[in-house]
Amino acid sequence: MTIELDADQRAAADRLARLVDGRGRPVKGARGVYLHGRPGRGKTMLMDRCIATVAADRVKRYHFHRFFAELHSAAYESGSIDTAIERLLGSARLVCFDEFHVHDIGDAMLIARMLDALFARRITLVLTSNYPPEQLLPNPLFHDRFLPTIARIVERLDVISIDGPTDYRMLRTRDASSGFTAGRYLIGCAPTEGAVEVPIGDRTIRARAVDGDAITVDFTALCGAATSAADYVRLARRFRRWTIEGVPRLREVPPDWAMRLVNLVDVLYDADLELTVCAAAPLPELVDGVAGVPDISRTASRLCEISQPVTAMAW
């Protein structure tokens, strides 16, 4: 399907184009861009179109979960945020973070230090987010502590809303040949019999089956335990095809279980890994009535892509 850019998207595309000169180099000292809006409005697409015009050695593009996991690891090994950033970004002068968000006060303090380090290096940033800057770290117990960082974001980046009426993922028919959209959304399927211990660092999770680069795992084993987005990043490096069985109506489980599913879908979607979901209900019912999970709408938008008709031969 050919998509014609709406007014918000055209304005953002024009602004992003000004970050790059005619020779594919980031403009030195350019103000960055913060794109925000509801899921499926084209923020990532616009960012990736901009990245495609830049020389590869001058740009770094990260999903925020993956960058944060690598930053934690590099900072632990080196003992320094500055050294970790140098290691991760190298010679890049344009750095792009997809799905930027702040929900945890501990993460917020590290993000504040990271942004200060990037701004000090005069690295140009492009951030996409479902939240305008003033809604980052919305928890009223901690929000005031993040206000200075929000002020620096607004000072250093042009904030642009991409929030047209259409969620384009809802319109897109899927290509079942490879990647995330090669998966399926199934209702009421029988569970796989079996148990395999899969290591994550110094501990394990219990999968139902492992076959080469494919893993089948129960929702409770994966999301009901204390797994982090960094754990999912590690597993995604090993497994390219995922099946999550026994996914209940998410209003029936604790919010932190549902939040882990949000994180997992984010990681798999960004890495473009095949995902099959075996759920207890159709997608609208699966996510209906979920409270205390701020990013559930993004998960619904992404899972919509595997619940749509295919463009080629059916499975």
Side-chain angles (χ1 to χ4, degrees):
M1 178 180 65
T2 300
I3 297 175
E4 184 175 341
L5 299 185
D6 62 31
D8 284 356
Q9 292 169 339
R10 286 195 301 272
D14 290 344
R15 177 63 185 84
L16 289 168
R18 298 202 298 272
L19 298 178
V20 185
D21 68 19
R23 290 177 288 179
R25 298 182 305 187
V27 175
K28 187 174 182 180
R31 281 178 61 84
V33 176
Y34 186 110
L35 303 177
H36 70 91
R38 288 171 292 170
R41 267 58 188 182
K43 302 179 295 295
T44 299
M45 175 269 293
L46 292 167
M47 182 184 72
D48 288 343
R49 279 177 41 156
C50 174
I51 290 170
T53 68
V54 183
D57 64 336
R58 294 295 178 179
V59 63
K60 290 282 188 179
R61 189 256 198 224
Y62 284 96
H63 186 277
F64 201 58
H65 282 315
R66 181 166 66 90
F67 179 81
F68 219 56
E70 294 185 13
L71 180 64
H72 270 290
S73 178
Y76 178 79
E77 292 173 4
S78 67
S80 164
I81 289 290
D82 286 345
T83 301
I85 288 174
E86 292 287 355
R87 183 184 302 175
L88 293 176
L89 302 184
S91 61
R93 304 309 304 166
L94 174 64
V95 175
C96 302
F97 292 128
D98 197 26
E99 303 294 358
F100 183 82
H101 61 274
V102 188
H103 297 319
D104 176 84
I105 184 59
D107 290 346
M109 297 302 99
L110 183 56
I111 288 168
R113 293 173 61 192
M114 176 198 77
L115 290 174
D116 284 344
L118 294 174
F119 291 146
R121 288 165 172 75
R122 301 186 67 194
I123 290 174
T124 300
L125 295 182
V126 175
L127 310 180
T128 76
S129 181
N130 293 141
Y131 307 91
E134 63 272 15
Q135 292 181 13
L136 296 170
L137 192 62
N139 188 325
L141 295 176
F142 306 118
H143 183 73
D144 285 353
R145 295 175 59 182
F146 200 63
L147 288 176
T149 301
I150 292 173
R152 287 195 290 278
I153 289 172
V154 173
E155 176 188 356
R156 298 295 189 111
L157 309 179
D158 288 342
V159 178
I160 300 175
S161 173
I162 308 291
D163 205 30
T166 303
D167 181 342
Y168 290 97
R169 294 192 190 109
M170 299 290 185
L171 301 180
R172 191 161 60 194
T173 53
R174 68 187 181 92
D175 177 356
S177 60
S178 65
F180 185 85
T181 54
R184 294 175 289 174
Y185 186 96
L186 306 174
I187 300 170
C189 45
T192 301
E193 296 294 334
V196 181
E197 296 295 328
V198 177
I200 314 178
D202 58 357
R203 58 192 183 84
T204 63
I205 61 165
R206 176 166 290 190
R208 285 183 168 163
V210 169
D211 182 10
D213 66 352
I215 184 171
T216 299
V217 63
D218 182 74
F219 170 83
T220 300
L222 193 60
C223 299
T227 46
S228 67
D231 292 328
Y232 300 143
V233 170
R234 295 186 190 99
L235 288 169
R237 294 190 183 115
R238 176 178 174 186
F239 298 107
R240 308 295 297 175
R241 293 175 292 142
W242 289 65
T243 300
I244 312 301
E245 297 184 339
V247 180
R249 294 168 180 83
L250 296 176
R251 64 178 178 271
E252 299 173 356
V253 300
D256 57 328
W257 292 29
M259 192 68 232
R260 291 187 189 110
L261 182 65
V262 168
N263 292 339
L264 174 62
V265 172
D266 280 349
V267 168
L268 299 183
Y269 189 92
D270 184 69
D272 198 24
L273 303 183
E274 181 180 322
L275 172 63
T276 293
V277 172
C278 299
L283 180 57
E285 187 178 341
L286 193 84
V287 300
D288 182 56
V290 177
V293 182
D295 297 312
I296 195 67
S297 61
R298 183 170 71 242
T299 301
S301 179
R302 288 176 165 176
L303 291 181
C304 181
E305 293 198 29
I306 59 173
S307 63
Q308 299 299 311
V310 296
T311 58
M313 185 179 295
W315 343 286

